[in-house]
Amino acid sequence: MFYSEQKKQITTYNRRTFFLFLLKLSLFTAVGWRIYNIQILDSSKYETLSKKNQIDLEIIFPLRGKIFDRNNILIADNEKVYDVYLIPENTKSINNTLNSLSKFIDIDFAKRRKIIQLTSKVKKFEKIKIFENISWSNLEKIETNKYNLEGIFIAEDHLRIYPYKEVFSHLLGYISKPNQKELSLPFISKMPNLDIGKEGLEKSFNPLLVGKAGQREIEVNSTGRVIREISKVDSIQGKELHLSLDLRIQEYAVNLLQSYRAGSINVINIKNGEILCMASTPTYDPNKIIKKPNKEYWDSILSNSLSPLTNRSLQGLYSPGSTFKMIVAIAALKYGVISSKSTHSCSGKIEFGDRLYHCWKTNGHGKMDVTNAITQSCDVFFYEISKKLGIDKIAKVAEDFGLGQIFDISMPNQKKGIIPSKKWKKTTLGESWYAGETLISGIGQGFVLTSPFQLAVMTSIIASDGKIVEPTILKSKNINFKTNSKYSDEIKIIKKAMFNVVNINKGTAFKSRLQDVKFSGKTGTSQVRSISLSERESDEFRKKEQEWKNRDHALFVGYIPYDDPQYAISVIIEHGGSGASTAAPIAKQVFNYIHKLNL
């Protein structure tokens, strides 16, 4: 009995052992087969996955391309700077490290709190930028005492700098981090943290200046720590930009404008269209915009009622005043309204409809032909020919001479201005054109609005006998411009008058003539508010000093030398008074400076 029971237990045990053996064998077989699949059959697949998990690519940002003036003077560069980083893993106490660092760099409570918050959000071995672009003195202190600064290290970076500060600010613009919309641009899509041009040429030439990113292939462990560098492809610096601008002339012009609240000076090489100067004030320092913190400086710019960010040369729109009379004269001559010998008598005013239109000279100029009317800037003469000519013909000629146009000079945000016509008024304002508005337009007032740069182009076309001068801001070779020969005869008459403006006794800019070299031009005074009849006839009003904002804008356009035009200029001083007393003397100084440079 006992034996049979024992035998039965042994049989049951053997059966269980056998089943357990089969189960273990099955498990080992399954595991073995899986290992075989992973290591042998699918080894290439998992090798690829393993590599992908262990290899990271780091972007190496390129240096931005440099910008030079026409004489290869560097006007936009990259300066080596130093940033301070913290690696939490390398310090026993974040607070102790910050306390030690605060002996050399001020760390206020808000800054300290922000740093501590960042350390809690990143991996311990990740570096955190806590200061950027530190001063040399702070750099020396940190380097000298780095053994007391656990977890702190210095890294090299580059900062865009503009050596001439305000001189080129409206032209070059500045750089900053891209916004959400800009991140989709092709040249920046793979480098989201790279600074890009936000205004001016920095913006227009972003694709050229940005350069090409490099990359570093690194091996990391499962937590993301860098183990070693596997390969590296260096970035390629952005291409250089060589401009037509001349630092000497630009700087000279900006300095002249500093004596006034706001204004613009533009100089164009008539022969090849190169822009030598495009000065606008008030201006700003792009270096202060780039460097952080910059809120205080930004606030001062944005709160300035004169709008320092506005490039008045391209974005400022002004009534051209008497500088527009040359266009009206060309149109009247072209369409046969007058000849070079036609005259009108100026008594100081003209009656048209139910109102009087006054000349700037109260007692009038007497008998005027077109040459004398431009020389002495007689308003009545131009009232008379405008009403016969009509606004549409004036508009057509104005457009042929570059007014109301946007130019292909890679400068963003240009303003087109207004060259009015009957169609323009109907389309824009839904109103019919009145004949009296033609008279006002005939002296460059009313709806007529142009930019200072447009006036410089207009003057270049006149000076070159009708060549279609195409301005450029890039340094170029001599260009053969097409000539609009249909105005050749008319331009000859206008050029004679422009010479007289500066070089004969009755010319409005006679006091601004030069002795060494003669130039030609035309003054302009743009009225900014209506003057009542009582004010106009009041001696007290004429003697009274006007508030700045109520003064007329002062304008001058011209070219030098008169017999072989090389350079054209436009000058506008906001609320500067008369063109003869303010703008013409400035043009004289610029022309004299260019003459002495012997370009």
Side-chain angles (χ1 to χ4, degrees):
M1 183 76 179
F2 175 79
Y3 175 77
S4 97
E5 188 68 27
Q6 187 178 29
K7 184 177 180 182
K8 184 177 180 182
Q9 288 178 357
I10 292 172
T11 302
T12 301
Y13 174 79
N14 288 337
R15 189 182 300 116
R16 289 177 179 174
T17 302
F18 178 72
F19 282 127
L20 285 172
F21 171 76
L22 287 178
L23 180 60
K24 287 182 178 180
L25 181 63
S26 299
L27 287 172
F28 278 113
T29 302
V31 171
W33 178 252
R34 183 60 179 160
I35 292 173
Y36 177 76
N37 268 277
I38 292 173
Q39 295 187 349
I40 307 298
L41 298 181
D42 294 331
S43 60
S44 58
K45 171 185 173 182
Y46 289 100
E47 183 180 358
T48 301
L49 287 173
S50 175
K51 185 175 183 181
K52 184 177 180 181
N53 288 335
Q54 293 183 20
I55 305 300
D56 274 354
L57 293 177
E58 282 188 354
I59 297 172
I60 303 175
F61 291 153
L63 277 178
R64 195 167 178 84
K66 299 179 180 181
I67 304 178
F68 299 84
D69 88 329
R70 65 179 301 100
N71 298 308
N72 293 321
I73 297 174
L74 196 57
I75 59 176
D77 196 8
N78 304 300
E79 180 181 63
K80 190 180 290 186
V81 295
Y82 297 92
D83 301 331
V84 181
Y85 287 86
L86 169 67
I87 300 180
E89 185 182 46
N90 293 347
T91 179
K92 296 174 183 176
S93 169
I94 300 294
N95 275 317
N96 288 344
T97 295
L98 294 179
N99 287 336
S100 299
L101 184 62
S102 64
K103 296 176 183 177
F104 315 116
I105 301 180
D106 181 49
I107 308 175
D108 58 32
F109 177 76
K111 180 75 173 178
R112 179 187 291 265
R113 185 174 61 181
K114 185 177 180 181
I115 293 171
I116 293 173
Q117 286 175 348
L118 280 173
T119 59
S120 65
K121 293 178 181 179
V122 302
K123 295 176 180 177
K124 287 187 175 182
F125 53 81
E126 287 186 20
K127 59 183 182 182
I128 304 169
K129 183 189 287 188
I130 55 176
F131 288 102
E132 61 182 19
N133 190 22
I134 61 172
S135 66
W136 271 102
S137 60
N138 284 337
L139 174 65
E140 290 174 353
K141 291 173 184 176
I142 292 173
E143 285 294 323
T144 303
N145 297 276
K146 60 183 179 182
Y147 56 87
N148 289 325
L149 298 170
E150 291 182 338
I152 296 294
F153 79 98
I154 305 294
E156 184 182 295
D157 199 357
H158 287 86
L159 180 72
R160 192 67 158 177
I161 61 162
Y162 303 95
Y164 297 95
K165 301 178 180 178
E166 294 92 347
V167 174
F168 291 104
S169 60
H170 292 113
L171 290 157
L172 297 179
Y174 55 90
I175 66 171
S176 187
K177 298 296 181 190
N179 58 37
Q180 198 62 39
K181 184 178 179 181
E182 290 165 336
L183 288 174
S184 62
L185 296 171
F187 63 86
I188 193 67
S189 59
K190 295 182 180 179
M191 300 179 285
N193 291 318
L194 183 68
D195 288 340
I196 62 170
K198 291 288 189 173
E199 293 292 340
L201 297 173
E202 290 276 31
K203 179 177 180 179
S204 299
F205 287 94
N206 260 325
L208 180 76
L209 293 168
V210 161
K212 187 177 180 180
Q215 66 180 34
R216 191 166 73 109
E217 193 177 28
I218 53 175
E219 183 180 355
V220 296
N221 64 15
S222 58
T223 62
R225 186 193 301 275
V226 177
I227 305 301
R228 64 187 176 97
E229 181 178 277
I230 297 172
S231 66
K232 182 181 179 182
V233 177
D234 289 327
S235 60
I236 300 174
Q237 183 170 355
K239 293 184 179 179
E240 295 177 351
L241 196 61
H242 292 263
L243 306 180
S244 63
L245 298 164
D246 191 307
L247 168 64
R248 299 167 298 180
I249 302 173
Q250 179 77 12
E251 193 168 35
Y252 186 79
V254 170
N255 287 336
L256 284 177
L257 290 173
Q258 296 297 345
S259 299
Y260 306 91
R261 296 192 191 184
S264 167
I265 299 174
N266 302 275
V267 179
I268 297 175
N269 184 325
I270 297 167
K271 300 295 185 181
N272 58 15
E274 288 184 345
I275 302 167
L276 301 180
C277 167
M278 187 184 283
S280 171
T281 56
T283 185
Y284 63 93
D285 184 352
N287 296 307
K288 292 182 179 179
I289 288 178
I290 290 176
K291 290 182 180 180
K292 306 291 190 305
N294 60 7
K295 186 180 185 304
E296 184 178 349
Y297 187 69
W298 258 119
D299 288 345
S300 70
I301 290 175
L302 296 176
S303 62
N304 190 328
S305 61
L306 292 175
S307 184
L309 293 174
T310 299
N311 181 352
R312 282 168 162 75
S313 294
L314 296 171
Q315 298 166 346
L317 295 178
Y318 309 89
S319 296
S322 294
T323 63
F324 193 67
K325 289 174 180 175
M326 297 181 294
I327 296 298
V328 178
I330 290 172
L333 289 164
K334 181 64 183 175
Y335 288 104
V337 170
I338 60 169
S339 70
S340 60
K341 297 179 180 179
S342 300
T343 61
H344 287 284
S345 183
C346 171
S347 63
K349 58 190 174 183
I350 179 178
E351 187 175 354
F352 186 73
D354 59 353
R355 63 170 292 187
L356 291 174
Y357 296 84
H358 293 267
C359 185
W360 69 268
K361 191 173 183 180
T362 306
N363 297 323
H365 290 90
K367 201 173 185 179
M368 291 274 108
D369 62 16
V370 65
T371 302
N372 287 327
I374 290 175
T375 302
Q376 298 180 50
S377 202
C378 175
D379 292 332
V380 166
F381 181 91
F382 286 93
Y383 292 146
E384 293 283 6
I385 66 174
S386 322
K387 66 181 181 180
K388 295 177 183 178
L389 187 58
I391 192 61
D392 288 340
K393 290 176 181 176
I394 295 173
K396 175 64 176 67
V397 175
E399 290 169 1
D400 286 344
F401 282 81
L403 301 182
Q405 293 187 27
I406 300 295
F407 300 102
D408 185 17
I409 56 173
S410 302
M411 287 294 294
N413 305 318
Q414 294 181 51
K415 294 285 183 67
K416 188 175 181 179
I418 299 174
I419 300 300
S421 64
K422 292 179 181 178
K423 182 180 179 182
W424 169 84
K425 190 180 180 189
K426 196 70 174 176
T427 303
T428 307
L429 304 177
E431 299 175 0
S432 299
W433 185 266
Y434 297 103
E437 293 171 330
T438 304
L439 273 66
I440 297 299
S441 298
I443 61 167
Q445 297 278 170
F447 290 115
V448 183
L449 291 174
T450 61
S451 72
F453 186 72
Q454 288 174 354
L455 293 177
V457 175
M458 174 196 76
T459 308
S460 299
I461 295 173
I462 293 172
S464 62
D465 298 321
K467 287 184 179 178
I468 311 302
V469 177
E470 297 178 8
T472 176
I473 207 159
L474 299 178
K475 193 172 182 181
S476 60
K477 298 179 181 178
N478 290 333
I479 299 172
N480 294 319
F481 296 122
K482 294 179 181 178
T483 300
N484 192 345
S485 57
K486 68 180 180 179
Y487 296 117
S488 298
D489 294 337
E490 292 76 19
I491 287 175
K492 289 177 183 176
I493 297 170
I494 301 306
K495 289 177 74 173
K496 179 182 177 182
M498 292 178 72
F499 175 82
N500 291 348
V501 167
V502 181
N503 298 287
I504 72 166
N505 189 45
K506 289 187 177 181
T508 54
F510 180 65
K511 292 182 179 179
S512 296
R513 67 195 183 282
L514 285 170
Q515 298 298 328
D516 294 341
V517 58
K518 295 184 184 299
F519 67 94
S520 299
K522 180 71 189 79
T523 57
T525 303
S526 174
Q527 193 173 301
V528 298
R529 74 179 186 94
S530 297
I531 300 175
S532 67
L533 182 60
S534 61
E535 286 177 325
R536 190 178 297 277
E537 295 177 348
S538 168
D539 290 335
E540 185 180 341
F541 173 76
R542 293 179 180 276
K543 294 176 183 178
K544 184 180 179 182
E545 180 71 18
Q546 296 295 310
E547 188 180 355
W548 178 79
K549 66 179 181 180
N550 291 329
R551 296 174 195 166
D552 298 334
H553 296 324
L555 298 96
F556 182 86
V557 297
Y559 57 87
I560 192 173
Y562 83 96
D563 55 349
D564 182 23
Q566 301 284 327
Y567 307 105
I569 194 171
S570 72
V571 178
I572 182 166
I573 303 298
E574 286 187 16
H575 308 292
S578 75
S581 63
T582 306
I586 292 174
K588 171 188 175 179
Q589 292 179 76
V590 175
F591 275 156
N592 190 44
Y593 182 73
I594 291 173
H595 176 63
K596 289 181 177 179
L597 286 177
N598 193 26
L599 297 177

